[in-house]
Amino acid sequence: MGSLSRRTLLAAGAGSLTACGSNTGRGGGSSGPRLSHWYHQYGEAGTERAVQRYAAAFGKAHVTVQWRPGNYDQQTAAALLTDSGPDVFEVNGPTLDQIQGGQVADLTGLLAGVRDDFNPAVLAPKTHDGRVWAIPQVIDTQLLYYRKSLLADAGVEPPTTLDALVDAARALTDSRTKGLFLGNDGGAGVLGGTPLYAAGLRLVTDDGEVGFDDPEAARTLGKLHRLYADKSLLLGAPADWSDPSAFLQGLTAMQWSGLWALPRVTEELGDDFGVLPFPRDGGHGRPSVPVGAYGAAVSTRSAHRAVAEEYVKWLWVEHTDYQQDFALSYGFHIPARRSLAEKAARLRKGPAADVVRFTTDHGYAQPLLWTPAAQTAYQDALSRIIRHGASPEGELRSVVRKVSAELARVRNAGKPKKTS
């Protein structure tokens, strides 16, 4: 969803969900100071009532839940600069600017003794300089759905390499059905960095440099244009990639979508489907699984910061029953803690278990240093490569220059200014 949903967040990698309403809920019987807790507007029925129920059970403060429609990230960023903002807030990041600007509290101590139990792929983008700035809540991920019967009829094996995916999509395309659906834009919006990770590359290296300044990147992205040129891609579907309708209606034999679609696909197709990570490419490649997670952060402007941090620990570290409930009772997500994911009954068999394994073994999240400016430069180039057959080498040279400059700007922003 991006600022409105975990689905858009992943598509940025990465539309939005329907509204749940906009109410507030306060811990009725609680004593102590008053805290405000902001959430973005979820689409799953029951989610808002659930977080109100959690807040009401916290005995050390009156916690008011605010369900925030609209551009949540923009609202939050502005509110953090004032004294009227939230004490606790849900966040995609936080952003490096918020961390370096001292707007969010260091929550590293809240994970003492359990840090290793949190999925490292979603904890990484909430970590800077070894410190944790938000506590992940649940994991959302994307995956490749394929129709077993259609592949069997065409004599096609489930693809485990990018070349095999291109060949399979071509073989599965006929007058009624396209081989693959990556979104109505051909995949540029949703895939993001996923093909680069499948090639054994990264968006940003550990030392903050461009992670795809490599000839392998151009070779991999060029293969995505082959899908478009072969006319194997479904384009102009009634609903975009986040909705499994095209897959369920037989408009496509394979579709890239999200974990949230799995219950509906299971209900309508039974066992006539399977799931896969994005297939590896090249000699150093590996399967690639994009993941994202909203987290809980604490504003440093909170008048009751210590209690706010205690509340976050109580809710997202200690109360494993609430964490399980939030992940699986209102939608379909993976708990951020690996021990909870392993024992959740709904995640222990069939495609759901496969997704948990894929996420554990091959999950990656957008790095903290990957800014909107870097994302826009890369995604625009990817669109030109896929849809227009632009030179991958030329496009990537331009992107590498732009992203290098952006990464240098971000790194330098965090350094203290020299005084004369």
Side-chain angles (χ1 to χ4, degrees), residues 353-370:
D354 292 336
V355 176
V356 173
R357 177 167 52 84
F358 298 154
T359 302
T360 300
D361 294 345
H362 307 300
Y364 86 90
Q366 263 191 193
L368 184 60
L369 292 178
W370 190 248

Side-chain angles (χ1 to χ4, degrees), residues 132-357:
V132 177
W133 304 92
I135 307 301
Q137 297 168 181
V138 295
I139 298 172
D140 280 288
T141 187
Q142 297 166 9
L143 52 142
L144 182 67
Y145 290 85
Y146 65 92
R147 190 76 173 265
K148 290 180 179 179
S149 58
L150 294 181
L151 268 67
D153 290 345
V156 172
E157 293 293 324
T160 58
T161 68
L162 183 53
D163 287 327
L165 178 65
V166 172
D167 292 341
R170 185 188 308 114
L172 291 163
T173 296
D174 59 28
S175 60
R176 298 183 306 257
T177 302
K178 290 292 188 178
L180 178 62
F181 184 40
L182 297 174
N184 284 325
D185 65 353
V190 64
L191 290 182
T194 300
L196 298 177
Y197 283 82
L201 305 172
R202 303 167 68 181
L203 290 171
V204 181
T205 64
D206 289 337
D207 55 358
E209 303 292 340
V210 175
F212 51 92
D213 188 6
D214 188 296
E216 195 64 36
R219 286 194 290 271
T220 294
L221 298 187
K223 294 176 183 180
L224 300 179
H225 174 65
R226 282 170 48 195
L227 288 162
Y228 187 88
D230 287 346
K231 299 184 178 180
S232 302
L233 294 179
L234 174 65
L235 302 170
D240 213 342
W241 67 271
S242 63
D243 189 311
S245 296
F247 183 66
L248 296 174
Q249 294 168 11
L251 301 179
T252 182
M254 299 182 291
Q255 178 174 335
W256 188 254
S257 191
L259 175 61
W260 52 82
L262 196 146
R264 183 178 166 194
V265 174
T266 301
E267 180 181 358
E268 297 197 26
L269 297 184
D271 61 358
D272 186 23
F273 79 98
V275 294
L276 291 170
F278 192 88
R280 62 180 175 82
D281 187 49
H284 300 289
R286 56 180 296 173
S288 178
V289 179
V291 298
Y294 270 86
V298 173
S299 170
T300 53
R301 285 181 175 265
S302 171
H304 307 288
R305 178 170 160 182
V307 178
E309 292 182 17
E310 188 174 354
Y311 165 65
V312 169
K313 181 177 182 180
W314 172 87
L315 178 56
W316 295 118
V317 179
E318 296 175 347
H319 253 288
T320 55
D321 54 339
Y322 290 166
Q323 295 159 36
Q324 286 272 40
D325 181 62
F326 191 68
L328 291 164
S329 295
Y330 314 100
F332 200 70
H333 318 286
I334 302 173
R337 294 184 63 169
R338 292 186 286 188
S339 60
L340 299 182
E342 289 169 359
K343 68 183 182 182
R346 296 184 69 192
L347 300 174
R348 294 180 66 178
K349 61 182 181 179
D354 292 336
V355 176
V356 173
R357 177 167 52 84

Side-chain angles (χ1 to χ4, degrees), residues 10-31:
L10 280 166
S16 63
L17 297 175
T18 56
C20 285
S22 179
N23 300 312
T24 60
R26 186 169 65 208
S30 302
S31 59

